[in-house]
Amino acid sequence: MDINEYQERSTAFRVPSSTPEERVFGLLEESGELAGVFKRLFRGDYDTSIAGQKLAGELGDILWYAANIATDNDWKLSDILQANLEKLESRQIRGKILGQGDDR
């Protein structure tokens, strides 16, 4: 499936009363859930195969929220992904992959 098709189709699953702000908080919540799976993996609660399934599921939820936040702002995910790769390529060329901050 094409990323833009996913973005378009994902909006069918929005709760009608939800707001763009709720989707931002949903992204944050799902990111925390992803971190929680890693914590439980490191703690020994899950073996790697179970953790992998849970991580993939949480990542899917994160992608749903990211796609819908992009839609809320009239952005195409393919454009966002392309710009991100260009930023990373520039950092790599300049030897700035490591470090902090956006202006590397």
Side-chain angles (χ1 to χ4, degrees):
M1 170 183 305
D2 169 281
I3 191 82
N4 290 323
E5 179 186 353
Y6 173 83
Q7 181 179 355
E8 184 179 322
R9 290 178 60 190
S10 71
T11 62
F13 305 101
R14 289 182 177 190
V15 173
S17 63
S18 69
T19 65
E21 294 80 11
E22 287 176 284
R23 287 186 277 283
V24 170
F25 283 106
L27 176 64
L28 296 171
E29 181 179 16
E30 294 298 341
S31 298
E33 289 179 18
L34 182 80
V37 173
F38 272 111
K39 178 189 80 172
R40 288 172 185 82
L41 173 63
F42 297 148
R43 191 169 63 189
D45 295 358
Y46 304 134
D47 67 32
T48 54
S49 66
I50 296 210
Q53 292 171 357
K54 290 182 177 294
L55 290 167
E58 296 302 341
L59 190 56
D61 293 340
I62 288 168
L63 291 171
W64 184 90
Y65 278 105
N68 279 272
I69 290 168
T71 298
D72 289 336
N73 290 283
D74 296 321
W75 302 326
K76 288 177 61 176
L77 280 179
S78 60
D79 293 339
I80 293 169
L81 296 175
Q82 181 64 41
N84 182 256
L85 287 176
E86 290 169 6
K87 175 183 75 174
L88 293 171
E89 182 178 38
S90 171
R91 286 179 182 172
Q92 186 175 48
I93 289 167
R94 295 178 289 113
K96 299 288 186 180
I97 288 287
L98 298 178
Q100 293 181 331
D102 287 334
D103 298 323
R104 299 187 248 157

